[in-house]
Coordinates of all heavy atoms in Angstrom, one line a residue:
M1 N -38.9 -90.1 11.5 CA -39.5 -89.9 12.8 C -39.8 -91.3 13.4 O -39.8 -91.4 14.6 CB -40.9 -89.1 12.6 CG -40.7 -87.7 12.2 SD -39.7 -86.8 13.4 CE -40.8 -86.6 14.8
L2 N -40.1 -92.3 12.5 CA -40.4 -93.6 13.0 C -39.2 -94.2 13.7 O -39.3 -94.9 14.8 CB -40.9 -94.5 11.9 CG -41.3 -95.9 12.3 CD1 -42.6 -95.8 13.2 CD2 -41.7 -96.7 11.0
V3 N -38.0 -94.0 13.2 CA -36.8 -94.5 13.8 C -36.5 -93.9 15.1 O -36.2 -94.5 16.1 CB -35.6 -94.4 12.8 CG1 -34.3 -94.9 13.5 CG2 -35.8 -95.1 11.6
L4 N -36.7 -92.6 15.2 CA -36.6 -91.9 16.5 C -37.6 -92.4 17.5 O -37.3 -92.6 18.7 CB -36.7 -90.4 16.3 CG -35.5 -89.6 15.8 CD1 -35.9 -88.1 15.6 CD2 -34.4 -89.7 16.8
F5 N -38.8 -92.6 17.1 CA -39.8 -93.1 18.0 C -39.5 -94.5 18.5 O -39.6 -94.8 19.7 CB -41.2 -93.1 17.3 CG -42.3 -93.6 18.2 CD1 -42.8 -92.8 19.3 CD2 -42.9 -94.8 18.0 CE1 -43.8 -93.3 20.1 CE2 -43.9 -95.3 18.9 CZ -44.3 -94.5 19.9
A6 N -39.0 -95.4 17.6 CA -38.6 -96.7 18.0 C -37.4 -96.7 18.9 O -37.4 -97.4 19.9 CB -38.2 -97.5 16.7
S7 N -36.5 -95.7 18.7 CA -35.4 -95.6 19.7 C -35.9 -95.1 21.0 O -35.4 -95.7 22.1 CB -34.4 -94.5 19.1 OG -33.4 -94.2 20.0
Y8 N -36.8 -94.2 21.1 CA -37.4 -93.8 22.3 C -38.1 -94.9 23.1 O -37.9 -95.1 24.3 CB -38.4 -92.6 22.1 CG -39.2 -92.3 23.3 CD1 -38.7 -91.7 24.4 CD2 -40.6 -92.7 23.3 CE1 -39.4 -91.4 25.5 CE2 -41.3 -92.5 24.5 CZ -40.8 -91.8 25.5 OH -41.5 -91.6 26.6
V9 N -38.9 -95.7 22.3 CA -39.6 -96.8 23.0 C -38.7 -97.8 23.5 O -38.8 -98.3 24.7 CB -40.6 -97.5 22.0 CG1 -41.2 -98.8 22.5 CG2 -41.7 -96.5 21.6
C10 N -37.6 -98.2 22.8 CA -36.6 -99.1 23.3 C -35.9 -98.6 24.5 O -35.8 -99.3 25.5 CB -35.6 -99.5 22.2 SG -36.2 -100.5 20.9
S11 N -35.6 -97.3 24.5 CA -34.9 -96.8 25.6 C -35.8 -96.7 26.9 O -35.4 -96.9 28.0 CB -34.3 -95.4 25.3 OG -33.4 -95.5 24.2
A12 N -37.1 -96.3 26.6 CA -38.0 -96.2 27.7 C -38.3 -97.6 28.4 O -38.3 -97.7 29.6 CB -39.3 -95.5 27.3
M13 N -38.4 -98.6 27.5 CA -38.7 -99.9 28.0 C -37.4 -100.4 28.8 O -37.6 -101.1 29.8 CB -39.1 -100.9 26.9 CG -40.4 -100.6 26.3 SD -41.7 -100.7 27.6 CE -41.6 -102.5 28.0
A14 N -36.2 -100.1 28.3 CA -35.0 -100.5 29.0 C -35.0 -99.9 30.4 O -34.7 -100.6 31.4 CB -33.8 -100.1 28.2
M15 N -35.3 -98.6 30.5 CA -35.3 -98.0 31.8 C -36.4 -98.6 32.7 O -36.2 -98.7 33.9 CB -35.6 -96.5 31.7 CG -34.4 -95.7 31.0 SD -32.8 -96.1 31.8 CE -33.1 -95.5 33.4
R16 N -37.5 -99.0 32.1 CA -38.6 -99.6 32.9 C -38.1 -101.0 33.5 O -38.3 -101.3 34.7 CB -39.8 -99.9 32.0 CG -41.0 -100.5 32.7 CD -42.2 -100.6 31.7 NE -43.3 -101.2 32.4 CZ -43.6 -102.5 32.3 NH1 -42.9 -103.3 31.5 NH2 -44.6 -103.0 32.9
Y17 N -37.4 -101.8 32.6 CA -36.9 -103.0 33.1 C -35.8 -102.8 34.1 O -35.7 -103.6 35.1 CB -36.3 -103.9 31.9 CG -37.4 -104.6 31.2 CD1 -37.5 -104.4 29.8 CD2 -38.3 -105.4 31.8 CE1 -38.5 -105.1 29.0 CE2 -39.3 -106.1 31.1 CZ -39.4 -105.9 29.7 OH -40.3 -106.6 29.0
Y18 N -34.9 -101.8 33.9 CA -33.9 -101.6 34.9 C -34.5 -101.1 36.2 O -34.0 -101.5 37.3 CB -32.9 -100.5 34.4 CG -31.8 -100.9 33.5 CD1 -31.6 -100.2 32.3 CD2 -31.1 -102.1 33.7 CE1 -30.6 -100.7 31.4 CE2 -30.1 -102.5 32.9 CZ -29.9 -101.8 31.7 OH -28.9 -102.2 30.8
G19 N -35.6 -100.4 36.2 CA -36.2 -100.0 37.4 C -36.8 -101.1 38.2 O -36.7 -101.2 39.4
H20 N -37.4 -102.1 37.5 CA -38.0 -103.2 38.1 C -36.8 -104.1 38.7 O -37.0 -104.6 39.9 CB -38.8 -104.1 37.2 CG -40.0 -103.5 36.7 ND1 -40.7 -103.8 35.6 CD2 -40.8 -102.6 37.3 CE1 -41.8 -103.1 35.4 NE2 -41.9 -102.3 36.5
A21 N -35.7 -104.2 38.0 CA -34.6 -105.0 38.5 C -34.0 -104.4 39.7 O -33.6 -105.0 40.7 CB -33.6 -105.3 37.4
S22 N -33.9 -103.0 39.7 CA -33.2 -102.3 40.8 C -34.0 -102.4 42.1 O -33.5 -102.4 43.2 CB -33.0 -100.9 40.4 OG -34.2 -100.2 40.3
F23 N -35.3 -102.5 41.9 CA -36.2 -102.7 43.1 C -35.8 -104.0 43.8 O -35.6 -104.1 45.0 CB -37.7 -102.7 42.8 CG -38.5 -103.1 43.9 CD1 -38.8 -102.1 44.9 CD2 -39.1 -104.3 44.1 CE1 -39.6 -102.4 46.0 CE2 -40.0 -104.6 45.1 CZ -40.2 -103.6 46.1
V24 N -35.6 -105.1 43.1 CA -35.3 -106.4 43.6 C -33.8 -106.4 44.1 O -33.5 -106.8 45.2 CB -35.4 -107.5 42.6 CG1 -34.9 -108.9 43.1 CG2 -36.9 -107.7 42.2
M25 N -32.9 -105.7 43.4 CA -31.5 -105.7 43.8 C -31.3 -104.8 45.0 O -30.3 -104.9 45.7 CB -30.6 -105.2 42.6 CG -30.6 -106.2 41.5 SD -29.4 -105.8 40.2 CE -30.4 -104.6 39.3
S26 N -32.2 -103.9 45.3 CA -32.0 -103.1 46.5 C -32.4 -103.8 47.8 O -32.1 -103.3 48.9 CB -32.9 -101.8 46.4 OG -34.2 -102.1 46.4
M27 N -33.1 -104.9 47.7 CA -33.4 -105.7 48.8 C -32.2 -106.4 49.4 O -31.2 -106.7 48.7 CB -34.5 -106.8 48.5 CG -35.8 -106.2 47.9 SD -36.8 -107.5 47.2 CE -37.8 -107.9 48.7
P28 N -32.1 -106.6 50.7 CA -31.0 -107.3 51.3 C -30.8 -108.7 50.6 O -31.7 -109.4 50.4 CB -31.3 -107.4 52.8 CG -32.3 -106.4 53.0 CD -33.1 -106.2 51.7
V29 N -29.5 -109.0 50.4 CA -29.2 -110.2 49.7 C -29.7 -111.5 50.4 O -30.2 -112.4 49.7 CB -27.7 -110.3 49.5 CG1 -27.3 -111.6 48.8 CG2 -27.2 -109.2 48.6
A30 N -29.6 -111.5 51.7 CA -30.0 -112.7 52.4 C -31.5 -112.8 52.8 O -31.9 -113.7 53.4 CB -29.2 -112.8 53.7
S31 N -32.2 -111.7 52.4 CA -33.7 -111.7 52.8 C -34.5 -112.8 52.1 O -34.3 -113.0 50.9 CB -34.3 -110.3 52.6 OG -34.5 -110.1 51.2
P32 N -35.3 -113.5 52.8 CA -36.1 -114.5 52.1 C -37.1 -113.9 51.1 O -37.6 -114.6 50.2 CB -36.8 -115.2 53.3 CG -36.7 -114.3 54.5 CD -35.5 -113.4 54.2
E33 N -37.5 -112.7 51.3 CA -38.4 -112.0 50.4 C -37.8 -111.8 49.0 O -38.5 -111.7 48.0 CB -38.9 -110.7 50.9 CG -39.8 -110.8 52.1 CD -38.9 -110.8 53.4 OE1 -37.7 -110.7 53.4 OE2 -39.6 -111.1 54.5
R34 N -36.5 -111.7 48.9 CA -35.8 -111.5 47.7 C -35.6 -112.7 46.8 O -35.6 -112.7 45.6 CB -34.4 -110.8 47.9 CG -33.6 -110.6 46.7 CD -32.3 -110.0 47.0 NE -31.4 -110.0 45.8 CZ -30.4 -109.3 45.6 NH1 -30.0 -108.4 46.5 NH2 -29.7 -109.4 44.5
Q35 N -35.4 -113.9 47.5 CA -35.1 -115.1 46.8 C -36.0 -115.5 45.6 O -35.5 -115.8 44.6 CB -35.0 -116.3 47.8 CG -34.0 -116.1 48.9 CD -32.6 -115.7 48.3 OE1 -32.1 -116.2 47.4 NE2 -32.0 -114.7 49.0
P36 N -37.3 -115.3 45.8 CA -38.2 -115.7 44.6 C -38.1 -114.8 43.4 O -38.4 -115.1 42.3 CB -39.6 -115.7 45.2 CG -39.5 -115.5 46.7 CD -38.1 -115.0 47.0
F37 N -37.5 -113.6 43.7 CA -37.5 -112.6 42.6 C -36.1 -112.5 41.9 O -35.9 -111.7 41.0 CB -37.9 -111.2 43.2 CG -39.3 -111.1 43.7 CD1 -39.5 -111.0 45.0 CD2 -40.4 -111.2 42.8 CE1 -40.8 -111.0 45.5 CE2 -41.6 -111.2 43.3 CZ -41.9 -111.0 44.7
N38 N -35.1 -113.2 42.4 CA -33.8 -113.2 41.8 C -33.8 -113.5 40.3 O -33.1 -112.8 39.5 CB -32.8 -114.0 42.6 CG -32.3 -113.4 43.8 OD1 -32.4 -112.2 44.0 ND2 -31.9 -114.2 44.8
A39 N -34.5 -114.6 39.9 CA -34.5 -115.0 38.5 C -35.2 -113.9 37.7 O -34.8 -113.6 36.6 CB -35.2 -116.3 38.4
A40 N -36.3 -113.3 38.2 CA -37.0 -112.3 37.5 C -36.1 -111.1 37.3 O -36.1 -110.4 36.2 CB -38.3 -111.9 38.2
A41 N -35.3 -110.7 38.3 CA -34.5 -109.6 38.2 C -33.4 -109.8 37.2 O -33.0 -108.9 36.4 CB -33.8 -109.3 39.6
A42 N -32.8 -111.0 37.2 CA -31.8 -111.3 36.2 C -32.4 -111.2 34.7 O -31.7 -110.7 33.8 CB -31.2 -112.7 36.4
D43 N -33.6 -111.7 34.6 CA -34.3 -111.7 33.3 C -34.5 -110.2 32.9 O -34.3 -109.8 31.7 CB -35.6 -112.4 33.3 CG -36.3 -112.4 32.0 OD1 -35.7 -112.9 31.0 OD2 -37.4 -112.0 31.9
H44 N -34.9 -109.4 33.8 CA -35.2 -108.0 33.6 C -33.9 -107.2 33.2 O -33.9 -106.4 32.3 CB -35.8 -107.3 34.8 CG -37.3 -107.5 34.8 ND1 -37.9 -108.7 35.2 CD2 -38.4 -106.7 34.6 CE1 -39.2 -108.6 35.1 NE2 -39.5 -107.4 34.8
V45 N -32.8 -107.5 33.8 CA -31.5 -106.9 33.5 C -31.1 -107.3 32.1 O -30.6 -106.5 31.3 CB -30.4 -107.3 34.5 CG1 -29.1 -106.8 34.0 CG2 -30.7 -106.6 35.8
H46 N -31.3 -108.6 31.7 CA -31.0 -109.1 30.4 C -31.8 -108.4 29.3 O -31.3 -107.9 28.3 CB -31.2 -110.6 30.3 CG -30.9 -111.2 28.9 ND1 -29.6 -111.3 28.4 CD2 -31.8 -111.6 28.0 CE1 -29.7 -111.8 27.2 NE2 -31.0 -112.0 26.9
R47 N -33.1 -108.3 29.5 CA -34.0 -107.6 28.6 C -33.7 -106.1 28.5 O -33.7 -105.6 27.4 CB -35.5 -107.8 29.0 CG -36.0 -109.2 28.8 CD -37.4 -109.2 29.2 NE -37.9 -110.6 29.2 CZ -39.2 -110.9 29.1 NH1 -40.1 -110.0 29.0 NH2 -39.6 -112.2 29.1
A48 N -33.4 -105.5 29.6 CA -33.1 -104.1 29.6 C -31.8 -103.9 28.8 O -31.7 -102.9 28.0 CB -32.9 -103.6 31.0
G49 N -30.8 -104.7 28.9 CA -29.6 -104.6 28.2 C -29.8 -104.7 26.7 O -29.3 -103.9 25.9
L50 N -30.7 -105.6 26.3 CA -31.0 -105.8 24.8 C -31.7 -104.6 24.3 O -31.4 -104.1 23.2 CB -31.8 -107.1 24.6 CG -31.1 -108.4 24.9 CD1 -32.1 -109.5 24.8 CD2 -30.0 -108.6 23.9
L51 N -32.7 -104.1 25.0 CA -33.5 -102.9 24.6 C -32.6 -101.7 24.6 O -32.7 -100.9 23.7 CB -34.7 -102.7 25.5 CG -35.8 -103.7 25.2 CD1 -36.8 -103.6 26.3 CD2 -36.5 -103.5 23.9
Y52 N -31.7 -101.5 25.5 CA -30.8 -100.4 25.6 C -29.9 -100.4 24.3 O -29.7 -99.3 23.7 CB -30.0 -100.4 26.8 CG -29.1 -99.2 26.9 CD1 -29.5 -97.9 27.3 CD2 -27.7 -99.3 26.6 CE1 -28.7 -96.9 27.3 CE2 -26.9 -98.3 26.7 CZ -27.3 -97.0 27.0 OH -26.5 -96.0 27.1
G53 N -29.4 -101.5 24.0 CA -28.6 -101.7 22.8 C -29.3 -101.3 21.5 O -28.8 -100.6 20.7
W54 N -30.5 -101.8 21.4 CA -31.3 -101.5 20.2 C -31.7 -100.1 20.1 O -31.7 -99.4 19.1 CB -32.6 -102.4 20.2 CG -32.3 -103.7 19.5 CD1 -32.2 -104.9 20.1 CD2 -32.1 -104.0 18.1 NE1 -32.0 -105.9 19.2 CE2 -31.9 -105.3 18.0 CE3 -32.0 -103.1 17.0 CZ2 -31.6 -105.9 16.8 CZ3 -31.8 -103.7 15.8 CH2 -31.5 -105.1 15.7
G55 N -32.0 -99.5 21.3 CA -32.4 -98.0 21.3 C -31.2 -97.2 20.9 O -31.4 -96.2 20.1
L56 N -30.0 -97.5 21.3 CA -28.8 -96.8 20.9 C -28.5 -97.0 19.5 O -28.2 -96.0 18.7 CB -27.6 -97.2 21.8 CG -26.3 -96.4 21.6 CD1 -26.6 -94.9 21.9 CD2 -25.3 -96.9 22.5
R57 N -28.6 -98.2 19.0 CA -28.3 -98.4 17.5 C -29.3 -97.7 16.7 O -29.0 -97.1 15.6 CB -28.4 -99.9 17.3 CG -27.2 -100.7 17.8 CD -27.3 -102.2 17.5 NE -26.3 -102.9 18.1 CZ -26.3 -103.5 19.2 NH1 -27.4 -103.4 19.9 NH2 -25.3 -104.2 19.7
L58 N -30.6 -97.7 17.0 CA -31.6 -97.0 16.3 C -31.3 -95.5 16.3 O -31.5 -94.8 15.3 CB -33.0 -97.3 16.8 CG -33.6 -98.7 16.5 CD1 -34.8 -98.9 17.3 CD2 -33.9 -98.8 15.0
F59 N -30.9 -95.0 17.4 CA -30.6 -93.5 17.5 C -29.5 -93.2 16.6 O -29.5 -92.2 15.9 CB -30.4 -93.1 19.0 CG -30.2 -91.7 19.1 CD1 -31.3 -90.8 19.1 CD2 -28.9 -91.1 19.4 CE1 -31.1 -89.5 19.2 CE2 -28.8 -89.8 19.6 CZ -29.8 -88.9 19.5
I60 N -28.4 -94.0 16.6 CA -27.3 -93.8 15.7 C -27.7 -93.9 14.3 O -27.2 -93.2 13.4 CB -26.1 -94.7 16.1 CG1 -25.6 -94.4 17.5 CG2 -25.0 -94.7 15.1 CD1 -24.6 -95.3 18.0
M61 N -28.6 -94.8 14.0 CA -29.0 -95.0 12.6 C -29.7 -93.7 12.0 O -29.8 -93.5 10.8 CB -30.0 -96.2 12.5 CG -30.2 -96.7 11.1 SD -31.1 -98.2 11.1 CE -32.7 -97.7 11.6
V62 N -30.2 -92.9 12.9 CA -30.9 -91.7 12.4 C -29.9 -90.8 11.6 O -30.3 -90.1 10.7 CB -31.5 -90.9 13.6 CG1 -31.9 -89.5 13.2 CG2 -32.6 -91.6 14.2
A63 N -28.6 -90.8 12.0 CA -27.6 -90.0 11.2 C -27.6 -90.4 9.8 O -27.5 -89.6 8.9 CB -26.2 -90.2 11.9
A64 N -27.6 -91.7 9.5 CA -27.6 -92.2 8.1 C -28.9 -91.8 7.4 O -28.8 -91.4 6.2 CB -27.4 -93.7 8.0
I65 N -30.0 -91.9 8.1 CA -31.3 -91.5 7.4 C -31.3 -90.0 7.1 O -31.7 -89.6 6.0 CB -32.4 -91.9 8.3 CG1 -32.5 -93.4 8.4 CG2 -33.8 -91.4 7.8 CD1 -33.5 -94.0 9.4
V66 N -30.9 -89.2 8.1 CA -30.8 -87.7 7.8 C -29.9 -87.4 6.7 O -30.2 -86.6 5.8 CB -30.5 -87.0 9.1 CG1 -30.2 -85.5 8.8 CG2 -31.6 -87.1 10.1
A67 N -28.7 -88.1 6.7 CA -27.8 -87.8 5.6 C -28.4 -88.2 4.2 O -28.2 -87.5 3.2 CB -26.5 -88.6 5.8
G68 N -29.2 -89.3 4.2 CA -29.8 -89.7 3.0 C -30.9 -88.7 2.6 O -31.2 -88.6 1.4
I69 N -31.6 -88.1 3.5 CA -32.6 -87.1 3.2 C -31.9 -85.8 2.6 O -32.4 -85.3 1.6 CB -33.5 -86.8 4.4 CG1 -34.3 -88.0 4.7 CG2 -34.3 -85.5 4.1 CD1 -35.1 -87.8 6.1
V70 N -30.8 -85.4 3.2 CA -30.2 -84.2 2.8 C -29.5 -84.4 1.4 O -29.7 -83.6 0.5 CB -29.2 -83.7 3.8 CG1 -28.3 -82.5 3.3 CG2 -29.9 -83.4 5.1
H71 N -28.7 -85.5 1.3 CA -28.0 -85.8 0.1 C -28.0 -87.3 -0.1 O -27.3 -88.0 0.6 CB -26.5 -85.4 0.1 CG -26.3 -83.9 0.1 ND1 -26.6 -83.1 -1.0 CD2 -25.9 -83.0 1.1 CE1 -26.4 -81.8 -0.7 NE2 -26.0 -81.8 0.6
P72 N -28.9 -87.8 -1.0 CA -29.0 -89.3 -1.1 C -27.7 -90.0 -1.3 O -27.5 -91.2 -0.9 CB -30.0 -89.5 -2.2 CG -30.8 -88.2 -2.3 CD -29.8 -87.1 -1.8
W73 N -26.8 -89.4 -2.1 CA -25.5 -90.1 -2.4 C -24.6 -90.2 -1.2 O -23.7 -91.0 -1.2 CB -24.8 -89.5 -3.5 CG -24.5 -88.0 -3.3 CD1 -25.3 -87.0 -3.6 CD2 -23.4 -87.4 -2.7 NE1 -24.8 -85.8 -3.2 CE2 -23.5 -86.0 -2.7 CE3 -22.2 -88.0 -2.2 CZ2 -22.6 -85.2 -2.1 CZ3 -21.3 -87.1 -1.7 CH2 -21.5 -85.7 -1.6
V74 N -24.9 -89.5 -0.1 CA -24.1 -89.5 1.1 C -24.5 -90.7 2.1 O -23.8 -91.1 2.9 CB -24.1 -88.2 1.8 CG1 -23.3 -88.2 3.1 CG2 -23.6 -87.1 0.9
M75 N -25.7 -91.2 1.9 CA -26.3 -92.2 2.8 C -25.4 -93.4 2.8 O -25.2 -93.9 3.9 CB -27.7 -92.5 2.4 CG -28.4 -93.4 3.4 SD -30.1 -93.7 2.9 CE -30.7 -94.5 4.4
L76 N -24.9 -93.9 1.7 CA -24.1 -95.1 1.7 C -22.8 -95.0 2.5 O -22.5 -95.8 3.3 CB -23.9 -95.6 0.3 CG -23.1 -96.9 0.2 CD1 -23.8 -98.1 0.9 CD2 -22.8 -97.2 -1.3
P77 N -22.0 -93.9 2.2 CA -20.8 -93.8 3.0 C -21.0 -93.6 4.5 O -20.3 -94.1 5.3 CB -20.1 -92.5 2.4 CG -20.7 -92.3 1.1 CD -22.1 -92.9 1.2
V78 N -22.1 -92.8 4.9 CA -22.4 -92.6 6.3 C -22.8 -94.0 6.9 O -22.4 -94.3 8.0 CB -23.5 -91.5 6.5 CG1 -24.0 -91.5 7.9 CG2 -22.9 -90.2 6.0
T79 N -23.6 -94.7 6.2 CA -24.0 -96.0 6.7 C -22.8 -97.0 6.9 O -22.7 -97.6 8.0 CB -25.0 -96.7 5.8 OG1 -26.2 -95.8 5.6 CG2 -25.5 -98.0 6.3
L80 N -21.9 -97.0 6.0 CA -20.7 -97.8 6.1 C -19.9 -97.4 7.3 O -19.4 -98.2 8.0 CB -19.9 -97.8 4.8 CG -20.6 -98.5 3.6 CD1 -19.8 -98.3 2.3 CD2 -20.8 -100.0 3.9
L81 N -19.8 -96.1 7.4 CA -19.0 -95.5 8.6 C -19.6 -95.9 9.9 O -19.0 -96.3 10.8 CB -18.9 -94.0 8.5 CG -18.1 -93.3 9.5 CD1 -16.6 -93.7 9.4 CD2 -18.3 -91.8 9.4
L82 N -21.0 -95.8 10.0 CA -21.7 -96.2 11.2 C -21.5 -97.7 11.5 O -21.4 -98.1 12.6 CB -23.1 -95.8 11.1 CG -23.4 -94.3 11.2 CD1 -24.9 -94.1 10.9 CD2 -23.0 -93.8 12.5
L83 N -21.6 -98.5 10.4 CA -21.4 -100.0 10.6 C -20.0 -100.3 11.1 O -19.8 -101.2 12.0 CB -21.6 -100.7 9.3 CG -23.1 -100.8 8.9 CD1 -23.2 -101.4 7.5 CD2 -23.9 -101.6 9.8
V84 N -19.0 -99.6 10.6 CA -17.6 -99.8 11.2 C -17.5 -99.4 12.6 O -17.0 -100.1 13.5 CB -16.6 -99.0 10.3 CG1 -15.2 -99.0 10.9 CG2 -16.5 -99.7 8.9
A85 N -18.1 -98.2 12.9 CA -18.1 -97.7 14.3 C -18.9 -98.7 15.2 O -18.4 -99.0 16.3 CB -18.8 -96.4 14.4
L86 N -20.0 -99.2 14.8 CA -20.8 -100.1 15.7 C -20.0 -101.5 15.8 O -20.1 -102.1 16.9 CB -22.2 -100.4 15.1 CG -23.2 -99.2 15.3 CD1 -24.5 -99.6 14.5 CD2 -23.5 -99.0 16.7
H87 N -19.4 -101.9 14.8 CA -18.6 -103.1 14.9 C -17.5 -103.0 15.9 O -17.2 -103.9 16.7 CB -18.0 -103.5 13.5 CG -17.1 -104.7 13.6 ND1 -17.6 -106.0 13.8 CD2 -15.8 -104.8 13.5 CE1 -16.6 -106.8 13.8 NE2 -15.5 -106.1 13.6
H88 N -16.9 -101.8 15.9 CA -15.8 -101.5 16.8 C -16.3 -101.4 18.3 O -15.7 -102.0 19.2 CB -15.1 -100.2 16.5 CG -14.1 -99.8 17.5 ND1 -12.9 -100.4 17.6 CD2 -14.1 -98.8 18.4 CE1 -12.2 -99.8 18.6 NE2 -12.9 -98.8 19.1
F89 N -17.5 -100.8 18.5 CA -18.0 -100.6 19.8 C -18.7 -101.9 20.3 O -18.8 -102.1 21.6 CB -19.0 -99.5 19.9 CG -18.3 -98.1 19.8 CD1 -18.7 -97.2 18.8 CD2 -17.3 -97.8 20.6 CE1 -18.1 -96.0 18.7 CE2 -16.7 -96.6 20.5 CZ -17.1 -95.7 19.6
D90 N -19.2 -102.7 19.5 CA -20.0 -103.9 19.9 C -19.1 -105.1 20.2 O -19.6 -106.2 20.5 CB -21.0 -104.3 18.8 CG -22.2 -103.4 18.9 OD1 -22.4 -102.7 19.9 OD2 -23.0 -103.4 17.9
R91 N -17.8 -105.0 20.1 CA -16.9 -106.1 20.4 C -16.9 -106.3 21.9 O -16.9 -105.4 22.7 CB -15.5 -105.9 19.9 CG -15.3 -105.9 18.4 CD -13.9 -105.7 18.1 NE -13.4 -104.6 18.9 CZ -12.1 -104.1 18.8 NH1 -11.3 -104.7 18.0 NH2 -11.7 -103.1 19.5
P92 N -16.8 -107.6 22.4 CA -16.7 -107.8 23.8 C -15.3 -107.3 24.3 O -14.3 -107.3 23.5 CB -16.8 -109.4 23.9 CG -16.7 -109.9 22.6 CD -16.9 -108.8 21.6
A93 N -15.3 -107.0 25.6 CA -14.0 -106.5 26.2 C -13.0 -107.6 26.2 O -13.4 -108.8 26.4 CB -14.3 -106.0 27.6
D94 N -11.8 -107.3 26.1 CA -10.7 -108.2 26.3 C -10.4 -108.4 27.8 O -9.9 -107.5 28.4 CB -9.4 -107.8 25.6 CG -9.6 -107.7 24.1 OD1 -10.4 -108.5 23.5 OD2 -8.9 -106.8 23.4
L95 N -10.8 -109.6 28.3 CA -10.6 -109.8 29.7 C -9.5 -110.8 29.9 O -9.4 -111.8 29.2 CB -11.9 -110.4 30.3 CG -13.1 -109.5 30.2 CD1 -14.4 -110.2 30.7 CD2 -12.9 -108.2 30.9
E96 N -8.6 -110.5 30.8 CA -7.5 -111.4 31.2 C -8.0 -112.2 32.3 O -8.6 -111.8 33.3 CB -6.3 -110.6 31.6 CG -5.6 -109.9 30.4 CD -4.3 -109.3 30.9 OE1 -3.7 -109.8 31.8 OE2 -3.9 -108.4 30.2
V97 N -7.8 -113.5 32.2 CA -8.2 -114.5 33.3 C -6.9 -114.7 34.2 O -5.9 -115.0 33.7 CB -8.6 -115.8 32.7 CG1 -9.0 -116.8 33.9 CG2 -9.8 -115.6 31.8
A98 N -7.1 -114.3 35.4 CA -6.0 -114.4 36.4 C -5.8 -115.8 36.9 O -6.6 -116.6 37.1 CB -6.1 -113.4 37.5

């Protein structure tokens, strides 16, 4: 339950940061009112991305914990499978420079 709660908190905080950043980003680009908040919006987007990633990883980790509760000997293979999956998904995109 603690892992699920931590996943929820990370996800909720990510949405909170995205909400604050979207308020700034919805302002007209050239408006003088937006200029002082651009750095804060960039920081909020960065923090939201980190929290979103942690929330998703924690949520996925619940599968290994549940597997360990049901059958303790299954926890290691499920954890290894999840680590391989996360390694595959966490790679940066291959971008071609034109």
